Amino acid sequence: MDDYPLLDIFWTMLWFFLWIMWLFLLFKVITDIFRDHDLNGWAKAGWLIFCIVLPYLGVLVYVIARGKGMSRRDVKQAKASEAAFQDYIRKTAGTAPGGGATDELARLADLKEKGAITAEEFEKAKAKVLA
């Protein structure tokens, strides 16, 4: 450890950290290239080759040229994921906007109590809802 001064350790760690950050940015750019539906296949291939052949320059140019689109696509994907998650929760909990099984059973029981349907019709409808 005596032949490697503390400042050199600091610089090595700094460069390693910057390299890791660049790798994350490179993977983010590559996933954004494939996620973008506005680009055709040739444009995607061109950007990908540019980022692979000249990685530092390619990533820098991509972020400068298409950075706003990257953020819009990220926000759009986050909103779509959140909407899908909320829809899954509603379906699982049985509180979907169209009414879940519990709402349908409550409505059927109310109709049975009012005499609008018979007990036999209630049982058939209940079996259909629970199936």
Side-chain angles (χ1 to χ4, degrees), residues 14-27 59:
L14 178 70
W15 283 113
F16 182 72
F17 177 72
L18 290 173
W19 182 71
I20 295 294
M21 282 180 38
W22 176 81
L23 277 177
F24 274 101
L25 184 60
L26 175 67
F27 290 128
V59 167

Side-chain angles (χ1 to χ4, degrees), residues 68-81:
K68 285 186 180 180
M70 281 179 74
S71 63
R72 274 188 251 121
R73 283 183 289 280
D74 281 343
V75 169
K76 184 178 175 182
Q77 182 184 12
K79 285 181 181 179
S81 296

